[in-house]
Amino acid sequence: MRRFLLRRVLLALPTLLGVTALVFATVALVPGDPLTAFLGPGAPPEARRELTERLGLDQPLPLRYASWLGHVLRGDLGVSIAGQRPVRQLLLPAVGQTLLLTAAAFLLVLVGGVLLGALGAGRPRGAAGRLSGALGTLAVSAPQYSVALLLVALLAVRWRLLPAGGTHDAFGGGGTADLLRHLVLPAVAAAVVPLGLTARVFRAALGGVLAGDLADALRSRGLSRAAVLRHCVHNASPALLTIGGLQLAYLLEGVVFVETLFAWPGLGGLLYDALSARDLPVVQGGVLVVAVAFVGVNILVDAAHALIDPRIRSPR
């Protein structure tokens, strides 16, 4: 298992290196002038020249990338142009909020996807199976933006059951209960599409196992429907693990939009403000964190697969 993980990590290193180069080049080539955004359009040439030299913007792009990568490898993501604070200090609280929202949405994806998928696979031609298929298709087809607006319009504005944004009430708020109330709408909005995909994939995988020889053998031994379903769920778990890992990686990127819409103080809001201010170090650091998390999730999924199926560990 250690050799398998070591191989996966070594294979991920070139990917991460390519991601860092792509992130740096993309952000550096975004139209706009960070000097004007920071100093203003009427800044004197001396101030622009001094800031250009301090930020290294007078150097060629490859040299700037090499310098930035060297600092990143030492854990230094630079200093925010707009806030004049280390980027790491800005990213840490935002990453914590993003991970909280991602974890809540992923929990909804797993629970809802397994329940809908098992319901559809257990009775594929019954009313429950048809309802499961319809809900899964609706979830996959629903635009995330429309779902978020509908949730806000109904649950926050019309019925006033849940807050529309933020993490705590402005007056009299605070505590875990208040945080959970604010977490519901963005978590549901982020989870709808991956929940539908998870349900459809798990339904197909579980349906294939239920129609196979294993399920026939279990039924011939007189096991109940629930016992047969329980054994077959275990055999369908690799498919759930694969789609679950992909959806977790999707959520890490997709919640950025949801955070902006619901004023959740995570990476989404931070990156949006940084892009608006042309704060390149913050943008580069935030996108790099998301990319590293994406690669890390894939490594964890591979490791979980290797634990379930030892044949995967053997080198080909």
Side-chain angles (χ1 to χ4, degrees):
M1 189 65 187
R2 292 179 180 176
R3 293 180 181 177
F4 173 81
L5 289 177
L6 181 60
R7 288 199 305 269
R8 287 294 183 268
V9 171
L10 291 178
L11 288 174
L13 291 180
T15 303
L16 287 176
L17 184 62
V19 166
T20 60
L22 183 61
V23 167
F24 186 87
T26 302
V27 174
L29 296 176
V30 170
D33 183 10
L35 301 180
T36 301
F38 180 64
L39 296 175
E46 295 79 8
R48 293 179 61 88
R49 184 169 54 253
E50 180 183 355
L51 185 60
T52 299
E53 294 175 356
R54 183 157 61 90
L55 297 178
L57 298 178
D58 56 336
Q59 299 179 356
L61 188 61
L63 292 180
R64 288 161 53 191
Y65 168 70
S67 175
W68 177 75
L69 183 60
H71 285 84
V72 168
L73 293 176
R74 295 194 297 270
D76 180 14
L77 297 178
V79 178
S80 167
I81 299 176
Q84 290 298 298
R85 292 175 55 194
V87 173
R88 186 169 54 183
Q89 293 183 6
L90 297 174
L91 287 178
L92 284 178
V95 168
Q97 294 291 344
T98 296
L99 290 178
L100 175 62
L101 178 56
T102 300
F106 188 59
L107 180 62
L108 293 176
V109 168
L110 282 184
V111 174
V114 169
L115 290 178
L116 275 181
L119 186 64
R123 299 182 181 274
R125 299 183 181 179
R130 293 190 177 93
L131 178 62
S132 170
L135 291 176
T137 302
L138 179 62
V140 172
S141 306
Q144 192 179 57
Y145 184 81
S146 300
V147 171
L149 289 181
L150 183 63
L151 291 174
V152 171
L154 292 179
L155 298 179
V157 177
R158 183 170 183 177
W159 297 328
R160 298 185 180 181
L161 297 176
L162 294 168
T167 57
H168 293 93
D169 290 336
F171 302 101
T176 304
D178 190 28
L179 176 63
L180 292 178
R181 289 181 63 250
H182 286 77
L183 185 62
V184 172
L185 288 187
V188 172
V192 168
V193 174
L195 189 153
L197 290 171
T198 302
R200 296 182 67 177
V201 171
F202 186 63
R203 173 178 177 166
L206 183 57
V209 177
L210 287 171
D213 296 335
L214 173 64
D216 293 337
L218 294 174
R219 295 188 190 99
S220 66
R221 294 171 56 186
L223 270 68
S224 64
R225 178 187 292 271
V228 172
L229 183 62
R230 185 171 62 252
H231 283 84
C232 291
V233 165
H234 181 270
N235 279 40
S237 58
L240 178 62
L241 182 61
T242 301
I243 189 63
L246 290 175
Q247 298 314 306
L248 177 58
Y250 166 81
L251 283 172
L252 285 171
E253 298 177 350
V255 295
V256 171
F257 166 76
V258 175
E259 288 174 351
T260 305
L261 187 61
F262 286 94
W264 189 264
L267 276 176
L270 183 64
L271 288 177
Y272 179 81
D273 294 339
L275 281 170
S276 302
R278 293 286 299 157
D279 198 342
L280 301 186
V282 176
V283 176
Q284 290 166 344
V287 176
L288 179 63
V289 167
V290 174
V292 171
F294 188 92
V295 174
V297 167
N298 283 283
I299 293 177
L300 291 177
V301 171
D302 290 341
H305 267 295
L307 287 174
I308 294 176
D309 189 356
R311 294 174 298 177
I312 300 178
R313 306 177 200 171
S314 59
R316 294 184 176 87

